[in-house]
Amino acid sequence: MLTRLSIRNIVLIEALDLDFRRGLGVLTGETGAGKSILLDALGLVLGDRAETSLVRGGEDKASVSASFEFAELPPAIAAALDDADIELEPGEPLIIRRQVKADGGSKAFINDQPTSVGLLRELAANLVELHGQHDDRGLVNPRGHMALLDRFAGTDLDALGRRWKAWAKAEAQLSEARDQVEQARADQDLLIAHLAELTALEPQAGEESRLALSRADMQKGERLSGDLEELRHLWEGSDSPLANLRVAARKLDRIAEEHPLLKEALEALDRAVIEAGEAEDKLEAAAMALVHDPQALDAAETRLFELRALARKHRCEVDALPELMRDMRVRLDAIEGGEAQLVALEAGAREAREAYLKAAEKAHDTRVKAAKKLDKAVAGELAPLKLDAARFQTSITILPEDRWGASGMDGAEFLISTNPGSDFAPLNKIASGGELSRFILALKVALAEKGGAATIIFDEIDRGVGGAVASAIGERLARLASEEGQLLAVTHSPQVAARGSQHYLIAKSSKGTVTKTGVIELDAKGRQEEIARMLSGAEITSEARAQADRLLEDV
C-alpha cells in the first residue's frame, strides 16, 4: 500500500510530505484548493506523461516520490522488477521517484536505480487503482474486464495458459514441418535428376587421384615407347649384350682354374651377368607398367573429365561426390519420412487443440456462472446508491478463433442500462459522471473480496449526490477499505468524510503574489470543523458542528 507521498515544486505545491496508513483516507477541501494536483503528482510516479506545466513557476525542476510497502510483494510486481534487474530485499519498501524539468524531459527511479517510464506504467496497475468520472484505465476500460471477471470467478488461467502454449507449440512445429516438406517436394525432381546423374557415374572415394596417377603413367609410356622398344631390341636375341656376357662367362669358366686372376675375372663376370639380368627384369617391368593403351588412356581421361565436371556443377571436390550422393538419398528419403512425420504432427496438433478447447470451454462455463453471480451482487448494490432503475450485465462472447489466446476464447465487457427498457451499453457510453462513479463503486464492492491493486483511489465519487445516497457511498467506501486494506477518497460529501479513519485537508493560501497549496492531516477537532464547514458552507454554525458530531458518532 501507499505509505508516503513526497512532492516538490508541483504547480502550487512547494514542498509536501504525506504519510498514509491502512483504512479509508479522505481528502477534502474547497473547490479549487488543489486536490487534482495531488492526483497529478501521484500520476507521475505511475507513469503518466510528464508535462512541463506541472513544474512550479520559477523552479527549474519538480519531483514526486511515492513509497509502497507490502506484507508480501505481489507476484506481478516481483516479476516486473526481476525482468528489469531491480532487486528488492524482503520487507524493503518500493520507492518510485520521478523528476520533471521545466525545459522538458523527465527521469524515473525505483529505489534510486534509473528505470523507464514504461516500467512505471507496468507496475501502476498493481500499485494504485484510480476511479473517477474521467477514468479510462480502471473498471471503465473494457480491456481489463476479463481479468476482473476471472479474478472474481477464480478461473484456472494457469492450466488454460499451459494448454494454449502446448497448442501454439504444436501448430508451430506442424507449420515448420509443412514448410520443410513443401520445400523438399519442390526440390524433389531436381534431386532425382542429380542423383540419377551421380548414380550413373558412381564416383568412388579416392578415385580421382588413382585415375590421375594411372593416366600420368600411360602418358609417360606413350612418350617413352620408342626408347623402350629400342632397349628391348638391344637386350633380346643371341647377339645381345647379355647373351654375349653369358657366352664369355661360359668360356672363362672352362679356364678359370688355370690362374687365380682368371678365377677373379670369372667372379666379376658372373656379377655383371647377374646385374645385367636384374636390369633386364627392371626394363621388362617398366615396359609393362608404362604400357601405352590408347583406349585405356582415353577412358581414364574421359572419366576424369566427367568426375571433375560434375564436381564443378555441385561446387565441391571430386572426393566429396560420394558423400553428396548419400546426402541426396537421405533428403529424398526424408520427403517420405517427412510426410509420415507430418501425419504424426497433425495428429498432435489436433490433440493439443482439443485439450485447449476443453480447458477453454471449462473456463467459459466458469465465467458464465460467475457473471450471473456478479450481476446479482452488483444489482444488490445499485438501489442504495440511487440507481434502482439501472441494470448491470456482464456480457461474455465467444471470439473468432484468430483472437483466441492464453486467456481462452471469450471476450467480456461490463454493460449497463440506466433506464427501464433501454438497451445495454458500455459503462462510459451512457452513464453520467455521477452515475458512472456509483456504478464503479457498486462493481468494486461486488469484486472487493477478490482483490485488486494495493491502493484504491476514488476521485469525487459522490459528486451530485447527498443524504442517504452519500451515506451509502461512505459506508461502502469504508467497507472496501477494511477489505482491501487501503482506500483514498477525494470527496465533497460530509457523510463520506465522516467515514474516514484518516482525514486530510487540502487548502490554498496566498501571501502577496505567491499562492501555495498545502495538505494537513486533521485531528478529531479539526475533522469536526471541516465536516461542519462542508455541511454549512462559508459560515460554520453551531448546528453544523452538532450535525458533524452526529455524523462522526454514527460511524
Side-chain angles (χ1 to χ4, degrees), residues 369-391:
K369 292 176 183 176
K372 293 178 180 177
K373 182 180 177 182
L374 179 59
D375 293 350
K376 184 177 180 180
V378 173
E381 297 292 334
L382 296 179
L385 297 174
K386 205 177 179 179
L387 294 168
D388 44 314
R391 293 174 296 154

Side-chain angles (χ1 to χ4, degrees), residues 233-248 250:
H233 285 300
L234 286 175
W235 288 95
E236 287 182 353
S238 58
D239 60 344
S240 68
L242 182 58
N244 290 330
L245 281 175
R246 287 173 177 160
V247 171
R250 284 194 298 273

Side-chain angles (χ1 to χ4, degrees), residues 159-168 171 349-365 367 398-402 404-410:
L160 184 56
R162 288 195 298 271
R163 295 288 184 272
W164 165 256
K165 287 181 180 178
W167 181 28
E171 288 291 347
R350 283 195 300 271
E351 291 176 5
R353 184 180 190 275
E354 290 168 2
Y356 170 76
L357 281 175
K358 185 176 180 180
E361 287 165 359
K362 181 179 178 181
H364 175 78
D365 293 341
R367 288 163 177 161
I398 296 180
L399 302 171
E401 186 168 334
D402 60 357
W404 294 358
S407 59
M409 57 185 183
D410 298 324

Side-chain angles (χ1 to χ4, degrees), residues 156-332:
D156 189 356
L157 293 176
D158 288 341
L160 184 56
R162 288 195 298 271
R163 295 288 184 272
W164 165 256
K165 287 181 180 178
W167 181 28
K169 181 179 180 180
E171 288 291 347
Q173 290 174 336
L174 177 59
S175 177
E176 183 180 359
R178 280 174 175 159
D179 290 343
Q180 290 175 347
V181 168
E182 287 302 315
Q183 183 62 44
R185 285 172 179 162
D187 295 341
Q188 187 175 23
D189 291 344
L190 186 61
L191 279 172
I192 290 173
H194 285 333
L195 186 58
E197 189 176 32
L198 284 165
T199 302
L201 198 59
E202 199 65 36
Q204 303 295 321
E207 184 178 11
E208 182 187 25
S209 59
R210 292 195 299 272
L211 281 171
L213 181 61
S214 175
R215 183 188 64 170
D217 286 343
M218 285 188 286
Q219 288 174 334
K220 289 177 184 177
E222 183 180 30
R223 189 174 65 252
L224 300 175
S225 59
D227 294 335
L228 289 173
E229 183 63 21
E230 184 177 341
L231 285 170
R232 186 175 66 81
H233 285 300
L234 286 175
W235 288 95
E236 287 182 353
S238 58
D239 60 344
S240 68
L242 182 58
N244 290 330
L245 281 175
R246 287 173 177 160
V247 171
R250 284 194 298 273
K251 289 181 179 181
L252 185 58
D253 183 57
R254 288 195 296 269
I255 61 174
E257 295 299 329
E258 298 298 327
H259 194 279
L261 291 175
L262 293 175
K263 187 176 182 179
E264 291 178 7
L266 178 61
E267 290 175 355
L269 190 58
D270 284 341
R271 290 195 298 272
V273 170
I274 292 171
E275 292 290 338
E278 290 180 358
E280 182 181 35
D281 293 340
K282 297 292 185 183
L283 285 170
E284 185 68 24
M288 292 295 295
L290 296 172
V291 65
H292 170 227
D293 184 348
Q295 291 184 341
L297 177 60
D298 184 62
E301 288 181 334
T302 301
R303 177 77 174 171
L304 270 174
F305 176 81
E306 290 175 343
L307 287 171
R308 288 170 176 172
L310 207 53
R312 285 194 300 273
K313 180 177 181 178
H314 293 285
R315 297 180 180 179
C316 66
E317 298 294 330
V318 172
D319 282 347
L321 290 175
E323 181 63 29
L324 181 63
M325 285 179 61
R326 287 190 288 272
D327 179 61
M328 287 183 178
R329 289 192 180 105
V330 169
R331 289 167 65 187
L332 285 170

Side-chain angles (χ1 to χ4, degrees), residues 335-351:
I335 295 175
E336 295 180 3
E339 290 175 347
Q341 182 189 25
L342 204 59
V343 173
L345 288 174
E346 286 171 346
R350 283 195 300 271
E351 291 176 5

Side-chain angles (χ1 to χ4, degrees), residues 18 91 98 103 143 150 195 273-274 307 313 330 373 431 451 460 492 494 536:
L18 286 176
R98 187 93 179 269
D103 57 359
R143 287 180 295 181
D150 282 332
L195 186 58
V273 170
I274 292 171
L307 287 171
K313 180 177 181 178
V330 169
K373 182 180 177 182
E460 298 187 1
H492 288 286
S536 63

Side-chain angles (χ1 to χ4, degrees), residues 100-164:
V100 183
K101 292 184 178 180
D103 57 359
S106 70
K107 294 180 180 179
F109 303 87
I110 293 180
N111 287 38
D112 291 328
Q113 297 183 55
T115 190
S116 67
V117 175
L119 178 58
L120 302 191
R121 295 194 190 103
E122 185 178 352
L123 296 175
N126 294 285
L127 293 174
V128 176
E129 195 173 315
L130 175 62
H131 304 293
Q133 296 184 61
H134 306 292
D135 178 31
D136 62 352
R137 293 185 301 178
L139 299 182
V140 174
N141 192 334
R143 287 180 295 181
H145 291 178
M146 178 61 77
L148 291 168
L149 178 61
D150 282 332
R151 197 160 63 212
F152 181 80
T155 309
D156 189 356
L157 293 176
D158 288 341
L160 184 56
R162 288 195 298 271
R163 295 288 184 272
W164 165 256

